[in-house]
Amino acid sequence: MAEMKVNPYDVEGEVDYNRLISEFGLKKIDEKLLKRIEKIAGEVHPYLRREIFFAHRDLEKILDAYEKGEKFFLYTGDGPSGPIHLGHYSIWNFVKWLQDKFNVELWFQFTDDEKFLYKNLTYEEVQEWMKENMKDIIAMGFNPKTTHFLIDTKHADLIYPEAIKVAKKITFSTIKAAFGFTDSNNIGSIFYTAMQTVPAFLPNVLNKKDEYCLIPMGVDQDPHFRISRDVVKKLGHKKPSIIHSKFMPPLTGTKGKSSSSNSEKAILMTDDAKTVKKKINKHAFSGGKETVEEHREKGGDVEIDVACQWLKYFEHDDKKLAEIYNKYSKGELLSGEVKAILIEKINEILSEHQEKRKDAEKQFDKFIYKK
Ligand code: TRP
């Protein structure tokens, strides 16, 4: 089995999230914190209860500030190297929940520079993916008044002066260690982490403010900020807080993460109902038994059954989810039946999304940040 590897450029093997918490130096989101969030937000999102968002850095500081009536802003991002899939969608849906509940600004970085530097794509191809991704993000219903798109190459005049300040405080050896780079990595990729750091304080520079920043992200992105949180502080800004998510498992099994580089293993926001059905029926790893008789007798394993695991993302009703898990474990529900439930849920989401996506391009202007 592949050794566990988790960094922004490589996720491999069975991910042990408890080990990540200790290796990265994160804090687990515990009952006490959940209670606090519930008290403040009026509810806890199922992704918090279900430990999909499972860890954090300094989340208490954000809650303290909010309770004192101080503002914070959200910062997250997209690397436009391919189509948006349900893994992205789920994370950003949670971001939208945070934005709506706390009524805060959201800064969305598009790292076209990063994907050009790291992937085997031309500049033009990255620009095309960026447009496609923007349509999906807009279709998710973010508020254009409080959501600002920052594009690394287009907003270079704003980002670059701050990025060099960050870069001057980070050595090549730190980068090598954090990302597993060698002397053969291109020089742009070595600098890139500085670009990803900037939006954690740029809104304060632009608006002459000193607000807290909360960054929701997949835990693979943590190495960037593990390096740069202290740097941000040294530059005279507040250290950003972070909330980390687990990876949505690929359809083919619970290892690694859903990725659009293998579109068979992920469901894309643009997939039609037939494709969704085909992908899930053909590829979703089953936790069921060899034969129907054996399954009825011994029951299925919800932990390895991908349809069951994916329902954690899409069946927000705890009671309904528990009932499905219970019946599947007892063999009352067959794998094919759980898949059918999942297919219906996903197709409902996608048909609504695709409707909204149709004229999303008209709204680009409202979202792309203007000084
Ligand atoms: N590097 C991220 C990616 O490849 C995109 C990104 C930029 C991001 N800034 C971020 C993700 C902040 C989370 C939080 O997808």
Side-chain angles (χ1 to χ4, degrees), residues 9 75-79 109 111 114-115 192 196 215-218 221 224-225:
Y9 304 108
Y75 156 42
T76 196
D78 169 52
Q109 180 182 33
T111 60
E114 177 189 24
K115 297 302 154 179
Y192 168 72
Q196 185 153 328
I215 315 173
M217 62 189 205
Q221 297 296 312
H224 285 298
F225 299 98

Side-chain angles (χ1 to χ4, degrees), residues 119-135:
K119 299 269 178 173
N120 190 16
L121 292 169
T122 64
Y123 179 77
E124 289 71 27
E125 284 165 341
V126 174
Q127 298 308 306
E128 277 311 306
W129 281 124
M130 188 161 68
K131 269 197 197 164
E132 291 306 304
N133 292 5
M134 282 180 175
K135 287 185 206 168

Side-chain angles (χ1 to χ4, degrees), residues 278-317:
K278 214 172 85 194
K279 279 188 183 173
I280 292 178
N281 282 332
K282 190 162 165 215
H283 298 290
F285 188 83
S286 160
K289 297 293 185 294
E290 288 289 318
T291 63
V292 173
E293 290 73 35
E294 201 192 342
H295 186 87
R296 292 275 185 230
E297 194 193 317
K298 297 184 181 152
D301 183 348
V302 298
E303 290 310 318
I304 61 165
D305 186 87
V306 171
C308 284
Q309 291 304 311
W310 275 31
L311 279 169
K312 271 192 195 161
Y313 289 80
F314 305 111
E315 177 52 79
H316 287 195
D317 182 328

Side-chain angles (χ1 to χ4, degrees), residues 29 34 37 45-51 53 94 97 243:
I29 298 177
L34 287 182
I37 295 169
H45 193 280
Y47 289 5
L48 287 166
R49 284 199 301 273
R50 297 175 188 175
E51 297 186 8
F53 276 84
F94 178 75
W97 179 82
I243 179 162

